Amino acid sequence: MTSEKGAAAAVPSLAGFHLGGDGRLYAAGPSTLGRAGAAVIGAPGGGVATVRRSDGLVAVFTVGTHGGLVAGFTSAAGSGLSFVWHPQGGVAPPGGRIAAVEGLTGTHVFLTGVNGAVYHAMYSRSGALGLPLAPVTPTGSVPQTTSLAAFAVGDRFGVVFVGGDRAVRVAVGRIGSGPAGPIPIWTTTAATQPNVAPLGSPVAAASGTGGAATFFTGVDGRVWRIPVAGVTPQQPVALSGPGTVPVGAQLAATMAPTGEFVVTYAGADGAIRAATDAFTPLPDPWVIAPPGAHAPGGPLGLTYGGDDYLYLGWCGLDRWFWLIWWWLHRRFPPPPPPPPDPYHDLFGIPSVLPMRTNFAVGVTLTQPQ
């Protein structure tokens, strides 16, 4: 395991975000929790999507009180977040489902509309709206509570969701040329057979230079992984035994630059579990935080932090927790698989109002890797 000095050096660039009980955005670090903006922007505990852009700055997105996108961007001077309200309102429920990913041409944001369509917009490096909010799927194709996950591979970007037929679907976009300028061109593929996941079931995605993977919880109580070769979904692979995952459990996933993935969830006992291909495969994920650490199936935020650390945030039963786990060993000879409780450290940020148990969180780093 790395030294305490190494762990301490990695922590200061970590940041988490959530919408507090007063509808304002709050930011958390390893030992602090404070308001990131004075304005009420969204619904308490609502969905947030957090992205570290290619320039190392951070972008945070939510569906605002007007039912449209609200984007917050950090400045190079580190003076906090400045917010931009998308003028198109009434598109999605405030605090609704949202996902974002950094691509080659900008930051791609997806949300689930009140009309049952999945929407997409792209923000440029300057924070301006590069592509306007527009539907990716037909009206009525999904419930407005449908969970979304975003990924990027090369010059393509995509969103994962469970469709109305309860199949996992992947919509992949690329930038094309239209009469008035750049336009997104979409291809939607069924990645599974119908009826494999509950309607609106949570999904997750992880992408890196080597590819991407998507994840979902099945009606059989398993976590499933769908490898993405290039931009084409492959055959799903079970990552846990049947009945081991609460149906409808929310997932968080990330990927190391070398391609290893990890996906996490809170089990029925409130313990945080993680499945990864970094070690010899085991039939069920490992426990990485003790029982009672979270509400069963509750929301998580996860990012890969470099130096083989994972950073996982969640609004726990009495505080915000950070989990720091050294998971990808680049040592020779290769070490044996980790013990049932892998090497990790838990850092708790004392809870202060307006934080609440089970609020959605976004986690990222504030410096380039």
Side-chain angles (χ1 to χ4, degrees), residues 26-200:
Y26 284 77
S31 60
T32 60
L33 177 67
R35 200 166 66 185
V40 175
I41 63 171
V48 292
T50 308
V51 173
R52 182 178 55 183
R53 301 189 302 175
S54 58
D55 56 9
L57 303 180
V58 172
V60 183
F61 303 92
T62 190
V63 180
T65 54
H66 69 316
L69 275 173
V70 177
F73 299 96
T74 59
S75 68
S79 57
L81 288 166
S82 59
F83 294 96
V84 178
W85 292 67
H86 193 289
Q88 186 177 353
V91 177
R97 302 292 192 169
I98 191 167
V101 68
E102 184 72 356
L104 288 180
T105 56
T107 306
H108 300 274
V109 187
F110 300 88
L111 58 84
T112 307
V114 294
N115 64 350
V118 176
Y119 283 79
H120 165 265
M122 186 187 76
Y123 286 83
S124 68
R125 298 285 181 252
S126 65
L129 196 61
L131 289 173
L133 202 60
V136 174
T137 66
T139 298
S141 58
V142 295
Q144 67 178 32
T145 56
T146 296
S147 171
L148 305 173
F151 66 92
V153 180
D155 63 347
R156 306 299 170 96
F157 43 90
V159 62
V160 184
F161 57 94
V162 176
D165 60 355
R166 296 173 174 80
V168 179
R169 296 187 173 272
V170 178
V172 177
R174 61 181 178 85
I175 302 297
S177 297
I183 59 170
I185 300 172
W186 297 97
T187 302
T188 302
T189 304
T192 68
Q193 297 296 318
N195 302 315
V196 301
L199 195 63

Side-chain angles (χ1 to χ4, degrees), residues 328-355:
L328 179 58
H329 298 263
R330 296 191 185 97
R331 303 288 186 270
F332 296 98
D341 185 16
Y343 301 113
H344 68 273
D345 295 297
L346 279 173
F347 292 85
I349 299 174
S351 176
V352 295
L353 297 178
M355 182 185 291

Side-chain angles (χ1 to χ4, degrees), residues 1-3 5-13 52 255-258 303-311 324-331 343 365 367-369:
M1 191 171 178
T2 56
S3 67
K5 180 178 179 182
V11 170
S13 63
R52 182 178 55 183
M255 184 176 289
T258 46
T303 190
Y304 176 81
D307 294 328
D308 299 336
Y309 277 91
L310 290 180
Y311 297 92
I324 302 179
W325 178 39
W326 191 41
W327 66 280
L328 179 58
H329 298 263
R330 296 191 185 97
R331 303 288 186 270
Y343 301 113
L365 299 184
Q367 300 173 359
Q369 294 187 32

